[in-house]
Amino acid sequence: MPGNPVIRIRLKMINVSDQQAPHAPRSLIVTLYGAYGRFAPGPVPVAELIRLLAAVGVDAPSVRSSVSRLKRRGLLLPARTAQGAAGYELSPEARQLLDDGDRRVYATDPPEDEGWVLAVFSVPESERQKRHVLRSRLSGLGFGTAAPGVWIAPARLYEETRHTLERLRLDNYVDFFRGEHLGFAPTAEVVGRWWDLAGIAEQHEAFLDRHARVLRAWERRTDTPPEDAYRDYLLALDSWRHLPYTDPGLPAALLPADWPGLRSAAVFRSLHERLRDAGAAFVGL
């Protein structure tokens, strides 16, 4: 019966579970620090991490094990709060990663055609394992493959790519070049060979399937409770922040008609504007 409060509660739990299902605890912790934790006046206490991750369905053991992995990777550093409680703060490396990511994640203007950056690398046979690392890192930064051993991306991705390769001590193996595409085939045709545009479009559609309905629900509300805002924002940001790395942000003239990336970016921006600051009250900022 629609008016039954038990049924309403159960439906709410199911909807929240549906939103949370694809979210890995480790990713959510990074997202939490990116959205709020790095602006805290000191380390985030462990107890606070557990409280904040519980709001998006992560239990305490998963928080602790994920924090340990992030600590081993050098992204989180153990520290004491002013009150002496155990906590964690971002390493300088992690702050650089988040600062670089901000330019993609929170971009507000459609990308312009600024030319291309090419990455060409050569790895000695004795260090061939680094070839796979280089390929996976360039792919993860949004590069496509123009030809064997030649990777291409919009020119604005150069600075972040340089920071990443320097951090991984891979910069000695790579040369960068800037330029423009001169043919023979039209650029709008060849980008479909450089990137899997159909696969990228599917990821945008998946984001829209999960979060456009969340935005519609908020648009019908006149209130913005902090915990609800925090939960929906963190889950949307955790989904969204990976997309600008899968999608290199090609100019609209090079993309298929009705490209879903424009719609998914608009949904994320609207959720960010509606929910981010309200969620900060739940975090305590």
Side-chain angles (χ1 to χ4, degrees):
M1 197 163 69
N4 188 321
V6 174
I7 293 176
R8 288 203 303 271
I9 292 170
R10 187 171 297 150
L11 286 172
K12 181 178 180 181
M13 291 174 65
I14 290 171
N15 289 338
V16 170
S17 175
D18 287 345
Q19 281 184 252
Q20 293 169 3
H23 300 269
R26 203 181 329 173
S27 178
L28 283 167
I29 292 171
V30 173
T31 301
L32 171 60
Y33 272 93
Y36 299 112
R38 61 175 152 160
F39 306 111
V44 181
V46 174
E48 271 298 281
L49 286 175
I50 290 172
R51 177 183 76 89
L52 293 170
L53 271 296
V56 288
V58 181
D59 59 29
S62 297
V63 173
R64 291 192 178 94
S65 64
S66 297
V67 164
S68 294
R69 293 189 185 98
L70 292 168
K71 183 174 68 171
R72 287 196 297 271
R73 288 180 56 193
L75 299 178
L76 291 181
L77 302 175
R80 292 280 174 180
T81 67
Q83 293 74 35
Y88 287 90
E89 61 187 7
L90 291 167
S91 67
E93 169 191 328
R95 288 188 179 276
Q96 180 69 69
L97 287 169
L98 292 172
D99 289 346
D100 282 339
D102 284 352
R103 288 189 285 273
R104 301 195 197 209
V105 173
Y106 299 110
T108 56
D109 298 320
E112 298 180 359
D113 188 354
E114 302 171 346
W116 305 98
V117 59
L118 298 176
V120 181
F121 62 83
S122 177
V123 179
E125 185 63 23
S126 60
E127 299 178 275
R128 59 182 178 274
Q129 74 279 3
K130 292 183 178 178
R131 292 176 193 157
H132 172 71
V133 177
L134 271 165
R135 291 188 190 105
S136 63
R137 289 295 176 173
L138 290 172
S139 177
L141 287 162
F143 278 70
T145 308
V150 180
W151 293 73
I152 188 168
R156 70 180 179 280
L157 303 187
Y158 163 68
E159 287 293 338
E160 182 179 0
T161 304
R162 182 174 63 82
H163 292 158
T164 299
L165 298 184
E166 287 175 344
R167 176 173 55 84
L168 297 171
R169 298 179 182 176
L170 295 170
D171 47 306
N172 289 334
Y173 304 97
V174 182
D175 282 311
F176 287 110
F177 304 88
R178 291 191 66 163
E180 58 182 314
H181 179 244
L182 299 176
F184 294 94
T187 308
E189 177 182 322
V190 294
V191 294
R193 300 200 298 262
W194 298 344
W195 285 276
D196 177 11
L197 294 181
I200 295 170
E202 286 179 4
Q203 294 190 46
H204 282 295
E205 294 288 2
F207 178 87
L208 288 165
D209 286 345
R210 288 167 50 209
H211 297 288
R213 60 189 172 92
V214 176
L215 176 60
R216 289 194 295 271
W218 278 105
E219 288 172 340
R220 292 192 293 268
R221 297 181 66 163
T222 57
D223 62 337
T224 314
E227 183 173 357
D228 291 351
Y230 162 82
R231 182 192 64 244
D232 286 349
Y233 179 62
L234 199 75
L235 293 173
L237 177 58
D238 192 60
S239 296
W240 172 257
R241 71 179 181 87
H242 301 283
L243 264 171
Y245 287 88
T246 302
D247 184 340
L250 301 175
L254 302 181
L255 293 168
D258 195 28
W259 178 247
L262 301 176
R263 288 180 279 124
S264 64
V267 166
F268 173 72
R269 282 196 299 270
S270 296
L271 286 169
H272 174 76
E273 292 167 2
R274 174 68 184 269
L275 304 179
R276 193 271 171 194
D277 289 347
F282 180 70
V283 178
L285 294 177

